[in-house]
Amino acid sequence: MKIRKSLSEKTFDLFNAVFMIALCLTIVFPFWQQIVISFSPPGEANSIGLHLYPENPTMDAYKRIFAGGTILKAYFWTILRTVLGTLLTLLVTAMMAYPLSKKWFYGRPLWMGLVVFTMFFSGGLVPTFLLVRDLHMINTIWALVLPGLCSAWNILIIRNFFVSIPEEVEESAKIDGANDLYVFYKIIIPLSTPVLATVALWTMVFHWNSWFDALIYNTNGQIKVLQMLLREVLQDANMMTDASMLMDPASEGSHYTPESVKAAILMLVVTPILCVYPFLQKYFVKGIMIGAVKG
């Protein structure tokens, strides 16, 4: 039976639709603006006002960025850091959260207290740097991966999700002869896909956007991630005020502006991580809600 809506309900739906469309436009339009500027020649990129589409599209800004292969190396280090950091974080965090979710685990309140303690107190920047240096991880990829490997927040989220899994599932598997490792990897992990996907997305975004640790732990400049490259390009572009500096003598006729270069590298940095989000978004609500409420 079709339910007829009252005038107030229709008015609310209309207002809600208009509000959501306006909210989406405020999020989408800045990205579209940067895409248009990245493909615009200097005259259009420097013009004041809205840029809905490039009238004379050009790839010169992207050619400038890809010249020399620096961004390809930055992609390599960023992808390596993101993949290593995400996989190791999920493995270590899940293995630590699993025993904390069991009542039979000896000293569970003490271990939980130690985990929660780290949420309020940390060693600080200098002790962390000295520890990384003494472990001989300076100028290695491990300096970017290991210090943030295990987050107390992620442990609590995954631990609470594990608590929501019925114990009868594990007991039936153990009756059939399964040991703890088999139960963990073959039963608990597959049932915990929502919370693991949620934590994986958080970790991926964290590693993709991080740059400060790469700056202080990478003293020889060999490991340059995308965010460091973006920072350098923004600094260089702000100093490119002389129009003659924007011309590449090796390729007569190619033009780009600081604005188009900044917009182009911004798109190259942001687009890959945005492409990953739709594949993990469907697990978000279930993973967060169960992991945050239960336990």
Side-chain angles (χ1 to χ4, degrees), residues 39-294:
F39 287 102
S40 299
E44 297 178 29
N46 290 329
S47 63
I48 300 175
L50 302 179
H51 299 77
L52 297 180
Y53 61 90
E55 296 180 0
N56 300 296
T58 175
M59 296 287 291
D60 288 340
Y62 289 93
K63 292 178 182 177
R64 162 69 176 82
I65 294 172
F66 279 98
T70 305
I71 193 168
L72 297 180
K73 295 179 182 177
Y75 265 121
F76 168 77
W77 287 115
T78 304
I79 293 173
L80 178 63
R81 170 190 182 157
T82 303
V83 172
L84 275 177
T86 303
L87 293 178
L88 292 177
T89 295
L90 287 179
L91 178 65
V92 173
T93 305
M95 292 182 69
M96 189 168 180
Y98 181 64
L100 292 176
S101 68
K102 301 303 171 187
K103 297 178 181 177
W104 47 259
F105 183 55
Y106 181 75
R108 188 176 71 155
L110 172 63
W111 297 114
M112 282 297 301
L114 292 176
V115 170
V116 174
F117 180 82
T118 63
M119 298 178 68
F120 301 98
F121 303 96
S122 64
L125 177 62
V126 174
T128 304
F129 178 83
L130 295 177
L131 176 63
V132 172
R133 185 198 62 183
D134 293 343
L135 292 175
H136 305 289
M137 293 194 297
I138 297 294
N139 296 322
T140 67
I141 191 66
W142 303 113
L144 311 182
V145 174
L146 296 183
L149 192 63
C150 205
S151 163
W153 171 259
N154 292 339
I155 292 174
L156 294 179
I157 291 290
I158 297 179
R159 177 256 181 196
N160 291 345
F161 194 94
F162 287 162
V163 171
S164 69
I165 299 176
E167 294 184 0
E168 290 77 7
V169 177
E170 300 180 38
E171 292 173 353
S172 61
K174 290 183 178 178
I175 291 174
D176 292 336
N179 56 27
D180 289 333
L181 283 178
Y182 186 91
V183 170
F184 178 70
Y185 286 108
K186 296 295 184 180
I187 297 177
I188 300 300
I189 294 298
L191 291 176
S192 307
T193 302
V195 71
L196 294 179
T198 303
V199 173
L201 183 58
W202 290 343
T203 308
M204 290 172 64
V205 173
F206 166 74
H207 282 292
W208 192 270
N209 291 333
S210 295
W211 64 272
F212 184 69
D213 52 356
L215 181 67
I216 62 176
Y217 297 140
N218 179 33
T219 57
N220 60 8
Q222 293 296 319
I223 302 176
K224 184 178 292 184
V225 296
L226 276 173
Q227 301 301 331
M228 287 183 63
L229 183 63
L230 173 62
R231 177 174 174 269
E232 292 180 359
V233 170
L234 292 177
Q235 291 177 339
D236 294 340
N238 290 332
M239 294 187 295
M240 296 168 65
T241 54
D242 188 353
S244 61
M245 297 175 62
L246 307 181
M247 298 290 296
D248 186 356
S251 57
E252 185 178 355
S254 63
H255 296 76
Y256 44 84
T257 67
E259 293 302 322
S260 61
V261 172
K262 285 191 289 185
I265 196 167
L266 185 63
M267 289 299 104
L268 292 173
V269 170
V270 171
T271 302
I273 197 67
L274 286 180
C275 294
V276 174
Y277 184 81
F279 297 99
L280 300 177
Q281 188 271 340
K282 61 181 180 181
Y283 299 111
F284 233 65
V285 175
K286 186 177 180 181
I288 293 178
M289 290 301 295
I290 297 180
V293 174
K294 293 286 185 179

